[in-house]
Amino acid sequence: SFLVHQPGATTAASSSTSYWAMAGTTGEKDMKVWTPIDNQKFETFSYLPPLSDGDIAKQVDFIIRNGLSPCLEFASKETSTVSNDSTVRFTGSAAGYYDNRYWTMWKLPMFGCTDASQVLREIEECKRAYPSCYVRLAAFGSVKQVQVISFLVHQ
């Protein structure tokens, strides 16, 4: 590990050389880190642009092919993430970690679903019913009976 810049410090090259000029030659200014401040990232694929229907269908095909049951959930923007105001934090606060936060299920899980078009129809129906809510697709395993996949399909 190394210190890229200490606030108030000058660079080793000279006091007239700016930090960013030096960083530009070494690549440090291109390094990005995750920020916990106002972080609105969610589960899998949240760093990508919104998924198309074709992208979602491919994921649903994968879910079905692996014997998982798709399920849709929705939540308003205010209740879709954990905040210090709305919950008691037991441990970390990374995406995918839940402290007493649940989304509302859109109907029951789609047990026996055999076609991605069935899920796409339900996504559209949920979006029409709750246009201002986030909608995510989750998948449950039949053996361990836990959620094993989830990602946003509507923001």
Side-chain angles (χ1 to χ4, degrees):
S1 118
F2 60 92
L3 180 63
V4 174
H5 178 66
Q6 182 175 356
T10 58
T11 61
S14 76
S15 59
S16 64
T17 305
S18 78
Y19 166 72
W20 289 116
M22 182 147 192
T25 62
T26 58
E28 285 94 350
K29 76 175 185 177
D30 296 326
M31 294 181 189
K32 295 182 179 179
V33 296
W34 177 79
T35 178
I37 301 165
D38 294 326
N39 179 14
Q40 293 298 309
K41 300 299 180 193
F42 293 86
E43 292 90 355
T44 312
F45 308 130
S46 67
Y47 292 88
L48 298 175
L51 299 174
S52 69
D53 285 351
D55 295 332
I56 295 169
K58 287 177 186 177
Q59 296 303 317
V60 173
D61 287 339
F62 173 84
I63 288 168
I64 294 168
R65 192 171 51 249
N66 285 283
L68 305 173
S69 297
C71 177
L72 294 178
E73 300 172 325
F74 64 96
S76 67
K77 183 173 183 166
E78 300 78 32
T79 62
S80 62
T81 57
V82 173
S83 73
N84 290 329
D85 299 330
S86 65
T87 189
V88 175
R89 198 159 323 281
F90 297 117
T91 59
S93 62
Y97 177 78
Y98 306 106
D99 270 334
N100 296 336
R101 177 180 58 88
Y102 299 96
W103 287 31
T104 303
M105 202 180 272
W106 171 258
K107 302 183 179 178
L108 293 174
M110 295 176 240
F111 301 112
C113 178
T114 58
D115 185 9
S117 66
Q118 296 169 312
V119 177
L120 292 174
R121 278 193 302 276
E122 291 296 330
I123 290 171
E124 288 306 313
E125 195 175 321
C126 185
K127 285 168 33 177
R128 275 193 304 277
Y130 300 98
S132 63
C133 288
Y134 291 113
V135 179
R136 75 176 169 198
L137 173 62
F140 293 93
S142 61
V143 176
K144 294 185 179 181
Q145 298 182 359
V146 296
Q147 179 179 312
V148 295
I149 295 172
S150 70
F151 58 92
L152 287 183
V153 294
H154 177 67
Q155 294 186 37

